[in-house]
Amino acid sequence: MIGLISATAAGAAARDRLAAAWPDRTRVYEGPAGEAVRAAFAECDRLVCFLATGATVRLLAPLLGDKAADPGVVCVDEGGRFAVSLVGGHGGGANELAYEVAQLLGAEPVVTTATDAVGLAGLDTLGLPAEGAVAAVSRALLDGEPVALEAEPAWPLPPVPFAEQGAYTVRLTDRAVRPGPREVLLRPPSLVVGVGASRGAPVEEVLGLIEESLREAGLSVRSVAELATVDAKSEEPGIVAAAGRLGVPLVTYPADELAAVAVPNPSDAPLAAVGTPSVAEAAALRTGGELLVPKRKSAASPAMATCAVVRRPGRGRLAVVGLGPGARDLLTPRAAAELRRASVLVGLDQYVDQIRDLIRPGTRVLESGLGAEEERARTAVAEARKGHAVALIGSGDAGVYAMASPALAEASDDIDVVGVPGVTAALAAGAVLGAPLGHDHVSISLSDLHTPWEVIERRVRAAAEADIVVTFYNPRSRGRDWQLPKALAVLSDHREPGTPVGVVRNASRPDESARLTTLAGLDPATVDMMTVVTVGNTATRNIAGRMVTPRGYRWQHAPEGAR
């Protein structure tokens, strides 16, 4: 929960904007600022104070304890110009919150944490528990000293400029080892503990067995990702409480699914009790991976708990990211976040150039030229299968005439795939023209490099016969100069010569140009590959120089007094 505190009318207005935008994430604290800050500090994960920084510092000073446990605090000035990450930048989440608040209020985020200031991902912000010399190794990264990465299990980390060798080390491991003086240990969530228990098994017995099994196997409890068991034990108090104390979810599976899992130590007892010859081993192995600790029983007599431990492989992550039509303010915050998260970026060279300033140090960039779409898709999927966090970029929306389709055709279920939507060229052009897409519409690419012209022409004819607004992508190039005239001729068989046509080149970019013409008046020679052509339907009108396709509401045709 985010606590919101203000002391003036201007602060309250900005506060209420946040509260309205985030109703499920925020709580407004009324009353004197001092009392409100103290209450919010005790009850919330993060705070936004619409107060002067000096006043906020004085109010916070007696409350601060451990930076790993204190809430993050963002301070917003009276004019709403700046969102300052004041305390708890990393551990408390204030840095991230400052960017969110600034985005919502139209303010400038102020983040002074050293790593964030130069675009480095902080070692304590990688989403994994960190142990050891975090400050010293972070300083080495900031100073450009070589820091080596030793990754025992492959895991999709955000970008960090690691070297092959160095005096400092970041070690990604789930083993119970101590960090060296110049070493940081990162704990990946790689361990799944399968658990079985008799009815009424005490939490101390279940938890003690888990901790003892991990300790004897030399594994870190901080790398336990989840406990797993059979559905019949989903409410067993000892298992539920053990998961709660470890701070991990409890995942359950139907008995028939667990019965189908091959295990080294099946037993008749669980088969008779819950319908599967194995609970602990089968539940752990259900997620895939290597069995590190075969089924073990607790030491009590009679034993009431069993457990087994599996190391699951790190799954690579492929984010297919739409960059929008070109303008930076039409790049979505989610897309920008995925670009910062990716340790490998794959894309067309000209698109990489658009967002090069957003690429974090340590990101490996794999760029190529026009015509290499399938190669880029294969490369992105291959990098994700190696366990990397990959961003595959495309213009507009990555799923519209872009990279999502070839990438997903290559991908299988061995990697995680995330789609990040973007503003398409059709939408950007439509906003420039007015409201040409106000009713049913279709987008058709006139490029016959991958689709036979006969198929394209059939689709154009179908749209014409159905009286649907058409947006043409890839309308004309030097080597393809006859397709657009042919498509317009097909539409002309079903639409009047005066049908409005919108032509937008480089929508949303600095050299954007747009004009409104007609089906008879459009000169195809003025169109190129950077242009989007939108042809209206029989209801589309030119109204005050804007292209408008009405939705057909009944009140549009009713007498003025009846509306």
Side-chain angles (χ1 to χ4, degrees):
M1 188 62 66
I2 302 171
L4 305 179
I5 301 100
S6 63
T8 67
R15 175 203 68 191
D16 292 344
R17 287 176 61 189
L18 287 189
W22 301 334
D24 299 328
R25 300 175 59 193
T26 56
R27 180 186 303 163
V28 173
Y29 286 80
E30 304 280 5
E35 295 178 10
V37 168
R38 286 190 292 273
F41 195 90
E43 297 170 356
C44 296
D45 301 316
R46 292 176 288 177
L47 281 67
V48 180
C49 297
F50 296 87
L51 307 167
T53 53
T56 307
V57 168
R58 290 186 178 90
L59 292 173
L60 289 174
L63 307 177
L64 297 175
D66 183 353
K67 73 175 186 177
D70 289 342
V73 180
V74 171
C75 191
V76 179
D77 66 291
E78 182 78 1
R81 297 169 301 166
F82 304 103
V84 183
S85 175
L86 198 60
V87 296
H90 284 169
N95 290 354
E96 179 184 356
L97 182 59
Y99 287 112
E100 289 188 86
V101 170
Q103 176 78 23
L104 190 62
L105 299 182
E108 183 74 21
V110 179
V111 176
T112 58
T113 310
T115 49
D116 293 86
V118 297
L120 281 175
L123 295 177
D124 53 351
T125 68
L126 301 182
L128 304 178
E131 306 170 16
V134 174
V137 176
S138 296
R139 173 56 58 187
L141 286 167
L142 286 167
D143 291 343
E145 297 187 47
V147 176
L149 173 66
E150 296 180 4
E152 294 176 4
W155 211 261
L157 291 176
V160 179
F162 291 121
E164 292 186 4
Q165 294 181 330
Y168 296 85
T169 305
V170 172
R171 185 175 175 189
L172 187 71
T173 181
D174 55 21
R175 298 200 172 276
V177 294
R178 292 182 177 275
R182 294 187 168 191
E183 185 177 53
V184 170
L185 300 182
L186 296 179
R187 301 297 191 183
S190 54
L191 303 179
V192 176
V193 180
V195 181
S198 302
R199 180 177 300 177
V203 60
E204 290 77 11
E205 184 172 345
V206 176
L207 189 59
L209 173 62
I210 293 171
E211 292 175 340
E212 179 185 5
S213 299
L214 292 170
R215 184 170 55 253
E216 292 186 3
L219 300 171
S220 172
V221 70
R222 300 191 75 185
S223 281
V224 174
E226 61 190 41
L227 300 191
T229 191
V230 66
D231 280 351
K233 298 295 179 180
S234 63
E235 298 181 0
E236 183 64 42
I239 295 178
V240 173
R245 291 194 190 180
L246 290 171
V248 299
L250 175 63
V251 179
T252 65
Y253 300 101
D256 57 347
E257 285 190 24
L258 297 186
V261 178
V263 297
N265 299 293
S267 173
D268 292 334
L271 179 61
V274 294
T276 173
S278 172
V279 173
E281 286 180 340
L285 286 167
R286 174 64 177 74
T287 59
E290 174 190 5
L291 184 64
L292 302 180
V293 179
K295 182 179 73 173
R296 291 189 50 170
K297 294 183 179 180
S298 53
S301 183
M304 299 185 72
T306 60
C307 82
V309 182
V310 162
R311 175 184 289 133
R312 63 182 183 183
R315 287 174 62 88
R317 187 175 190 276
L318 174 62
V320 188
V321 181
L323 300 180
R328 177 55 59 85
D329 60 352
L330 292 182
L331 175 74
T332 66
R334 187 180 300 180
E338 288 294 347
L339 297 178
R340 292 193 297 269
R341 176 174 181 166
S343 61
V344 180
L345 180 74
V346 182
L348 179 67
D349 47 14
Q350 63 190 57
Y351 297 152
V352 173
D353 288 340
Q354 289 180 20
I355 47 88
R356 202 175 290 277
D357 61 304
L358 298 178
I359 300 173
R360 274 180 157 172
T363 304
R364 186 156 49 95
V365 178
L366 305 177
E367 53 188 306
S368 52
L370 287 169
E373 288 83 1
E374 294 180 355
E375 178 188 345
R376 283 194 292 276
R378 286 192 293 268
T379 297
V381 172
E383 291 293 330
R385 283 182 174 142
K386 295 176 184 177
H388 298 305
V390 181
L392 175 62
I393 61 174
S395 67
D397 183 283
V400 179
Y401 302 123
M403 294 305 303
S405 179
L408 269 60
E410 290 285 334
S412 54
D413 62 0
D414 57 344
I415 61 174
D416 295 326
V417 177
V418 176
V420 182
V423 178
T424 67
L427 295 178
V432 172
L433 294 169
L437 309 182
H439 209 299
D440 297 336
H441 54 273
V442 64
S443 295
I444 299 177
S445 171
L446 294 184
S447 172
D448 56 358
L449 295 178
H450 301 287
T451 305
W453 174 252
E454 293 76 14
V455 174
I456 297 172
E457 183 174 359
R458 187 165 67 246
R459 292 170 179 171
V460 174
R461 192 173 304 281
E465 293 173 351
D467 196 25
I468 294 176
V469 175
V470 182
T471 297
F472 288 126
Y473 279 71
N474 306 314
R476 185 177 182 274
S477 67
R478 293 179 181 177
R480 296 186 302 100
D481 58 1
W482 58 267
Q483 288 89 342
L484 179 58
K486 180 64 174 175
L488 296 174
V490 172
L491 290 173
S492 296
D493 291 339
H494 300 270
R495 299 183 193 180
E496 295 296 327
T499 300
V501 174
V503 181
V504 182
R505 188 177 190 277
N506 284 332
S508 87
R509 300 186 183 187
D511 56 346
E512 171 189 285
S513 64
R515 68 184 188 277
L516 190 57
T517 182
T518 64
L519 190 55
L522 175 61
D523 179 3
T526 63
V527 173
D528 62 13
M529 285 288 286
M530 306 303 293
T531 305
V532 172
V533 177
T534 301
V535 182
N537 65 10
T538 56
T540 305
R541 296 290 181 267
N542 180 337
I543 302 176
R546 302 181 186 93
M547 187 175 177
V548 180
T549 302
R551 289 197 61 187
Y553 290 119
R554 284 173 292 178
W555 53 258
Q556 289 182 312
H557 308 291
E560 185 71 26
R563 296 182 183 179

